Amino acid sequence: MEKGHGHGNSYGMVIDLDKCTGCGTCMVACAAENNLAVRPDESDKQRSITWMRLYKVTNGKEFPHTEVCYFPRPCMQCDHHTPCVSVCPATATKMDYHTGIVSQIYTRCIGCRYCIAACPYHARTFNWWDAYFPKGKGLERYLSPEVSPRMRGVVEKCTFCHHRLMRAKNNAYAEERRELEEGEYITACTEACPAQAITFGDLKNPEHKVSELVKSRYAFRLLEKLGTEPKVYYLSTKDWVRRMADNYLPGEFKPIAKVKLG
Amino acid sequence: MENPATSPKKSSKGGWISFLKGLLPTENGSAFVPPFSLIGWIFLLAGFFGAFTFGWVVYPVALYSRQPQPISFNHALHLDPDVGGIEGDTETEKCLYCHEFRDDGTFSGIPKLAKCTECHDDPESPLGETQQEKEFMEKYVAGQKEIPWLIYYRQPDCVYFSHIAHVKMGKIECQTCHGDHSKTEKLPIYRANLLTGYSINIWGKNIAGYKTNTWDRMKMDDCAECHTKKGHEENNACFVCHK
Amino acid sequence: MELNRRNFIKFLVGGAAGIQLTPLPWKLTDDIAIWTQNWPWVPVPPVGEFIHEKSICTLCPGGCGIEVRKVDDRAVKIEGRTDYPVNPGGICPVGMGGLQLQYNESIRFTRPMKRVGPRGSGVFIDISWDEALTMLAGRISGLREKAMPEALAAVDGNPARSTLSLMIERLVKAVGSPNYVRIPCAEDTYEMANFLMQGTLGPMAYDLENADYVLSFGSGLLEGWGAPGRVINAWGLWHENPAKKRVKIVQVESRASSTASKADRWIAAKPGTEAALALGLCHVIIKDGLYDSEFVNECSFGFDDFSSAGGKDRAGFKTMVLKKYSPAKVAEITGVASDDIVSLARDFAGAKAPVAICGKGKGSLSGSLYEFMAVNSLNAITGRINKPGGILVHEPIPLSSLPEIDFDDIASQGLEKPRFDAAGSTKYPFSNSLINNLAAAINRSPESPVDTLLVFAANPVHTLPDGGAFRKALKKIPFIVSFSPFRDETAYMADLILPDHTYLEKTDDIVWPAGLQYPLFGLSLPVLEPVYNTRNAADVILKLAKQIGNSVESAFPWKRFEEVLKERAKGLYSSGAGLVDYDGTNPVWKRLKEGTGPGPDYASFEEMWKKIVSGGLWYRLEHTYKNWDNLFETPSGKFEFFSSKIELAVNAYAEQAGIDWALRDMGLAGKGDDVFMPHYEETASDADRSTFPLMMLPFEIINLTSTWVPNPPFLNKALFDTQLRGDESFVEINPETAAKYNVGQGDRIIIKSPEGEVRVRANLFEGAMPGVLFMPLGFGHSAYDEFSKGKGVNPNDIIHAGKDPLSGYPVWWNTPVKIIKV
């Protein structure tokens, strides 16, 4: 498996679904950090703008054997044949081989939504309207200058809080360092998760916790068979959860034998 | 039926070709009938040169606003050692005295009033006696009001720029990009593009797009050009400069 | 030279050609392109210096540490603090979205106002603070002049034990009214259960992080229970290493909530039968001899049968449990298989450090007293009281109490009068306040006994599970004053608005975060300048007291609220213990097990106070574990399975008209000695179960506020479209039950209870108990702005509120309903 074509880093994320409690703090932290617009009606999920979205799945069993699991879904930052990048006619989205992060430039986006159609993870959303900041309400006062608010007619998606990478670099430069320590650059969702279910770091750096976690027997990615090499990994000890991550032929999915608990 | 497209008669039946032929002098000079009268040519050229002048002379002026800064500022005086001005080993160090980096590595840009009042906090502090200086003390210092400076080099909201990466890590002198301000005694008029709102210093001083100095224009291609020249192509990735 | 048509065209053609040779068209194209990138109506956030301010979040009694990122004077993000012991870095989604409560003019009051339109229309005009205070002080003085100071009442929703709460209570008392009423929550029921069984006054302190088996009776560990930043962090710790997982979580709940479905084991007991289950577990543990004999024999009272003073034989807890709570019987009551009850009991008793916890949902609604006592008994028989990983028993936090009030005659006479809600009377001997009774008293009498009502940090119109009784009562109260910073439903009913600061603008404290296992005093300091003309309610009270004068004025000798806080903190200093520094490297719960903490890390009171102001906390590590001989302050000096205090109280009440009458009137269905011990009673209901064959149970979710705090709009993104779609909210219903009524996914139905009806859509969910309809709390606002107004329905509107036996708190888990398909 070839990873991160060039030199530099390959930032990735590991989300432990056993720890994830579905509280949605990651979604809110993401929205607050990245100046996401909120419309009065957010219940139409095809129109609601989210970079980090929580999906709820159940094992479908009858009461009282029902189990629920939540999948937090950021942009997968696909490493290989990045589907959105390959279709963008305006070069508004690119993968940076030095960070592994897929960029999205709003001022360049022409709003054709080809990338939305191409993304297998529904990680991209379109601004059907201008951001909702009615006059006199004063909501715009909480906007952060680190992320540019979007105009209508463009596509947006999770950027792995790229501005936090820039912030961390600035911090390092102030101390005349070039290399970032582990944990200096983490995404807003990683930082916010009260269950510490999200781990973020450089997949190429063997000293980072993520590169250890992705080797776990419980690690998997979404729709791995597509070969897009997502840089977001999930962990779950539950077979029914892991089975949901991809489409399997009968008998193809290999359950992990239950480890005897101490 | 005859195919009209292949009909040999076609060219003789008027149309564009015969019209163009009409414009050319024929062998028989007396048969020449100019398509335009002289007056016609005058109107044509008047339109041509009028538009030409408008585009080159009027438009570049009309495109930009002209706003003076709220108060005058003399860079040269502040750096003059004779009046106890700012000292420093290098030019950059002198600039950074006011245009400083914060502890978190962010760049403060145009200093806040608090920076001014570090020296000009009371009537005893060094200050001249011009009307502008009086206004500065009364309106801003005494009134604790920030000076609404117009910023020449503010990039649009979609752009991210790290000064520290260039100045501290890239070892680029301030004047390399901004020119030498140590001798400027007056602040230039601030001019903003009326359509885009961009400052002329960002958008390009020359209407035709020529630039002689780095500080004449600071658009995306200018950044990329320098990155490439210095062998930092990786910094041409979109997210390095966009947010 | 004639400008005719032909020449004009030539002029234009020449111009068109000429313009091509200038930069104009190319530049213009570029400019227009850029113009479209910078629409003037797309906000451009101003840049500036990043400033990080630390404080604590007081949106709920959890008191998590927060760090606010500011750009110059504008707050742009709230994050969790890693150097605060309650929550190591994480906070809940509500706290994360807090800035949308700060910067939203349409949900905030920007200045004092008085009502001009009809009640509830929300039409107010601006007045000045002086005018507003004069108006209110005049009204209160008027009541005192008429010698009816008791007609002043206050409803307070501030966190229990907070200094602001003390100030409000003090104001009401100093005026001469006993009618200080709190919004009931699980904390009240904890206190009552602890008081009756342990005789202690400290709050409930579960040492969750050090437990290895957590049996939760409906506590929404993942729904926002306790301090969410702490509890969810503990959840992460429990699941740190799947191969070496040593902690087991068991959830007792009737619905597959996040907690239930993510727990290691889910026990689906019928709502309201938790007490029976807890006692069933006790049965198995006693029968199998798995109980802690040292605790039970040496340190408890009423476990075995005994003879009371008159030589009467009394049945003890053991006899009662063995007789009445066999697994088979409990299985019948709870719907849990008896095998499960047996295995659960053995697992619990067999664990090294098990703990059973109670308090349903977020804990923002009151609980059932006997249920809490039953759960406490389960902890007690397994010897989990005051042991690491169990329930820790503490004294209240050593803050100084405020000086005694020197009441004047009017005040003393007013305080002699009975409370309108009868809390603390012989009928409700253990309750401090009963807001449901207050509403009933007002609704009962032709004229409201309350003349002036002050409402602090509460929105009872929306949050009380009373089927709209409080809303009805408000209409009768002549004068209502709201101190809410938000334009909530209760404030809409008010005559005078004295808006408080938001939590980011005010000085406040959290005295012992909800459920925390060690004493902690959290100080919240303003991180932002007030953006509107609002004032801290505590400072308003100080001003108001001055204007009322007399003993009210002398009861408040302080100029500013900060002085009050500092004065109270003196008690912390003189306790001679406690720490004010915390760097986040060594979690407190890890150090706690040792029992001996380091001495105080400050030398003088001033140093301590300075550090509290900068760090926001004081906490104590020292704790004497076990200590069973000296721990309990009950009449017997032991842990009481058989509560002497209940016996005394019931007998006292029975003096009026006999024991049978007394029990009936106190809402008790139990008989004999059972009444004095934790036992299970079917919740009484006057509804006809044949008309209303189903049950409705409201539930709380973490990403939707159900308290007086408005819901930050960001949280709407985190709601599923099976919870809210457009303006319609969903009820969760088991597919089997739905099929019975021919209801399909997304169908619109009417849910009808004896109190009224609501229109919702159905969400078929296998995790919902058959026969029970589950409705989320927090929807159905008629106030606030377009982000929450008119969205969904409020289950509180149809709750058929009963009363919890003995405690008198509202019962919200037993509403009989029927469904009608639309």
Side-chain angles (χ1 to χ4, degrees), chain C residues 607-624:
Chain C
E607 189 195 343
M608 180 196 87
W609 180 247
K610 226 171 109 187
K611 282 185 170 174
I612 292 179
V613 167
S614 66
L617 83 155
W618 176 97
Y619 62 108
R620 198 177 63 208
L621 287 175
E622 296 106 314
H623 185 67
T624 316

Side-chain angles (χ1 to χ4, degrees), chain A residues 96 145 148-149 162 170-171 174, chain B residues 104 157 162 164 168 237 239 243:
Chain A
D96 183 352
S148 181
H162 194 276
N170 262 1
N171 271 319
Chain B
D104 61 1
D157 188 49
S162 168
I164 202 163
K168 207 160 178 177
F239 258 0
K243 61 176 191 182

Side-chain angles (χ1 to χ4, degrees), chain C residues 57-65 84 86 159 226-228 230 510 512-514 516 520:
Chain C
C57 177
T58 57
L59 289 178
C60 90
C64 293
Y84 201 75
V86 176
R230 169 207 173 202
I510 293 281
W512 208 315
L516 198 68
L520 186 142

Side-chain angles (χ1 to χ4, degrees), chain A residues 17 19-20 25 33 37 40 43 45 49 63 70 107 130 132 137 141-143 149 164 191-192 194 196, chain C residues 37 41 43 69 74 77 79 93 96 100 105-106 233 240 258 262 532 717 719 726 766 785-786 791:
Chain A
L17 300 179
K19 284 189 190 174
C20 172
T25 310
E33 179 82 21
S43 69
K45 298 300 172 191
I49 291 176
F63 185 89
Y70 299 95
T107 45
D130 273 307
Y132 184 74
K137 226 171 153 69
R141 282 174 290 182
Y142 63 68
L143 288 178
R164 282 178 163 243
E191 179 186 80
Q196 272 124 47
Chain C
Q37 295 173 0
W41 55 84
R69 182 159 83 236
R74 215 161 49 83
K77 178 89 189 288
E79 281 157 5
M96 190 57 87
Q100 290 186 315
E105 197 156 323
S106 41
N233 173 66
E240 192 55 61
S258 293
K262 308 260 346 178
Y532 301 119
K717 286 184 186 286
L719 291 170
E766 300 84 1
D785 61 353
E786 62 275 28
K791 287 196 189 294

Side-chain angles (χ1 to χ4, degrees), chain C residues 339-358:
Chain C
D339 289 353
D340 282 342
I341 296 169
V342 173
S343 69
L344 186 60
R346 289 181 183 154
D347 281 359
F348 185 81
K352 258 192 218 145
V355 63
I357 66 173
C358 54

Side-chain angles (χ1 to χ4, degrees), chain C residues 675-822:
Chain C
V675 174
F676 313 129
M677 290 184 281
H679 66 282
Y680 167 72
E681 286 187 11
E682 201 175 342
T683 318
S685 176
D686 53 4
D688 178 9
R689 294 311 295 253
S690 58
T691 325
F692 300 105
L694 299 169
M695 285 251 286
M696 189 280 286
L697 189 68
F699 66 94
E700 291 167 292
I701 48 180
I702 191 164
N703 48 10
L704 182 65
T705 59
S706 45
T707 60
W708 73 284
V709 175
N711 200 44
F714 278 143
L715 272 63
N716 288 353
K717 286 184 186 286
L719 291 170
F720 296 107
D721 58 0
T722 49
Q723 289 172 323
L724 183 76
R725 187 70 215 252
D727 284 342
E728 293 172 302
S729 60
F730 286 70
V731 61
E732 287 181 5
I733 176 168
N734 190 284
E736 198 185 289
T737 313
K740 228 185 258 175
Y741 294 90
N742 199 19
V743 170
Q745 174 66 30
D747 284 358
R748 292 179 171 84
I749 55 173
I750 288 171
I751 303 179
K752 206 173 159 107
S753 86
E755 298 297 329
E757 56 178 53
V758 288
R759 209 183 128 118
V760 288
R761 294 179 69 177
N763 177 31
L764 273 45
F765 178 45
E766 300 84 1
M769 178 174 273
V772 187
L773 306 180
F774 295 91
M775 290 177 72
L777 283 166
F779 288 128
H781 280 287
S782 57
Y784 303 139
D785 61 353
E786 62 275 28
F787 293 115
S788 19
K789 190 177 182 173
K791 287 196 189 294
V793 298
N794 183 2
N796 285 333
D797 290 347
I798 59 162
I799 281 180
H800 187 58
K803 257 184 211 162
D804 185 50
L806 203 58
S807 77
Y809 286 126
V811 165
W812 47 268
W813 51 86
N814 187 41
T815 298
V817 292
K818 62 175 175 185
I819 53 180
I820 304 161
K821 213 179 149 187
V822 179

Side-chain angles (χ1 to χ4, degrees), chain B residues 33 38 86 90 98 112 137 219 243:
Chain B
V33 182
L38 179 65
I86 292 149
T90 61
C98 291
K112 283 267 161 80
M137 286 308 283
K219 287 186 76 183
K243 61 176 191 182

Side-chain angles (χ1 to χ4, degrees), chain A residues 245-262:
Chain A
D246 215 330
N247 301 299
Y248 292 98
L249 294 168
E252 192 188 0
F253 179 76
K254 297 270 177 294
I256 297 175
K258 268 261 180 287
V259 187
K260 262 257 180 247
L261 294 179

